[in-house]
Amino acid sequence: QVQLQESGPGLVKPSGTLSLTCVVSGGSISGNNWWSWVRQAPGKGLEWIGEIYHSGTTNYSPSLKSRVTISFGTSKNHFSLKLTSVTAADTAVYYCARYSNFIRRFDFWGQGTLVTVSS
Amino acid sequence: NFVLTQPHFVSESPGKTVTISCTGSSGNISRNYVQWYQQRPGSAPTNVIYEDNKRASGVPDRFSGSIDTSSNSASLTISGLKTEDEADYYCQSYDGSSRMFGGGTKLTVL
């Protein structure tokens, strides 16, 4: 059973950079899957941020593309999210998730981590 | 940008049937598969329907998905409603290299 776990600072200052890591266990990052980030502002809906394939190919939400970078770590059992120039509007629960290209759905999710942007 | 629109709220009584719609902003919604996720407060979403109408493992057959090309919309239907079905429901699809979610529908079972 694949498991994902997010980690990172829970508080980021305005204009700073939000950095999160997702550790993948119980399965390989290789395979026909996209490794994704999804966020949810308090009381709001789900917003897709972007994804990375094991080849390193990335796709980003058009609305966040200029501020987002998703990459793999050196050990390649984890992937990371960087979001620059954050504002209070970036306050959200951030989830990492696996998107299966085979079944075409988000089939495994992390528990989510709350990141608050505040001075 | 392809946008998915859902009603904000729906409510129905236990034992009844409810349908949640998800309307595509343009084009043909049947061009790409639609998925549905259930999210309970404080928890990550879980998939209930994938590829328009397939039930995820462990999801009861009270849940079903469909596509209506005439209205360019997808639907999630839950029959024999139970109080445990009360949750937020999100449709999700993709357009080229982008994924997108609908705005979500809060289902109240009262």
Side-chain angles (χ1 to χ4, degrees), chain A residues 5-48:
Chain A
Q5 179 67 58
E6 307 90 348
S7 63
L11 181 65
V12 181
K13 292 189 186 316
S15 77
T17 297
L18 181 159
S19 296
L20 295 174
T21 296
C22 179
V23 174
V24 179
S25 59
S28 171
I29 277 193
S30 300
N32 199 11
N33 305 297
W34 291 89
W35 300 94
S36 308
W37 289 96
V38 176
R39 71 180 182 178
Q40 186 170 36
K44 303 295 186 183
L46 302 170
E47 180 182 17
W48 178 74

Side-chain angles (χ1 to χ4, degrees), chain A residues 40 51 103-106, chain B residues 35 37 39 47 90 99:
Chain A
Q40 186 170 36
E51 61 190 9
I103 304 178
R104 279 171 279 214
R105 63 176 177 176
F106 292 98
Chain B
Q35 283 61 241
Y37 301 84
Q39 186 182 34
N47 177 239
Y90 294 88
R99 324 266 177 217

Side-chain angles (χ1 to χ4, degrees), chain B residues 6-34:
Chain B
Q6 301 179 233
H8 293 301
F9 305 97
V10 295
S11 63
E12 190 49 270
S13 303
K16 300 290 190 180
T17 296
V18 70
T19 296
I20 299 171
S21 62
C22 171
T23 303
S25 60
S26 62
N28 185 355
I29 198 168
S30 65
R31 184 177 61 193
N32 296 310
Y33 286 122
V34 174

Side-chain angles (χ1 to χ4, degrees), chain A residues 34 36 38 40 44-48 51 59-63 95 99 101-107 109-112, chain B residues 1 33 35 37 39 42-47 50-51 55-57 88 90 92 94 97-104:
Chain A
W34 291 89
S36 308
V38 176
Q40 186 170 36
K44 303 295 186 183
L46 302 170
E47 180 182 17
W48 178 74
E51 61 190 9
N59 295 314
Y60 299 128
S61 165
S63 65
Y95 294 99
Y99 185 88
N101 251 2
F102 177 63
I103 304 178
R104 279 171 279 214
R105 63 176 177 176
F106 292 98
D107 55 359
W109 296 72
Q111 66 186 26
Chain B
N1 272 4
Y33 286 122
Q35 283 61 241
Y37 301 84
Q39 186 182 34
S43 296
T46 59
N47 177 239
Y50 65 98
E51 293 182 353
R55 274 188 303 278
S57 177
D88 294 327
Y90 294 88
Q92 176 263 315
Y94 48 95
S97 57
S98 283
R99 324 266 177 217
M100 68 284 300
F101 292 92

Side-chain angles (χ1 to χ4, degrees), chain B residues 63-108:
Chain B
F63 288 75
S64 62
S66 63
I67 298 291
D68 181 355
T69 54
S70 67
S71 60
N72 204 40
S73 64
S75 294
L76 172 68
T77 298
I78 311 171
S79 60
L81 274 169
K82 300 185 177 184
T83 54
E84 68 205 46
D85 299 330
E86 188 163 290
D88 294 327
Y89 292 86
Y90 294 88
C91 59
Q92 176 263 315
S93 190
Y94 48 95
D95 183 23
S97 57
S98 283
R99 324 266 177 217
M100 68 284 300
F101 292 92
T105 300
K106 183 176 185 60
L107 169 62
T108 300

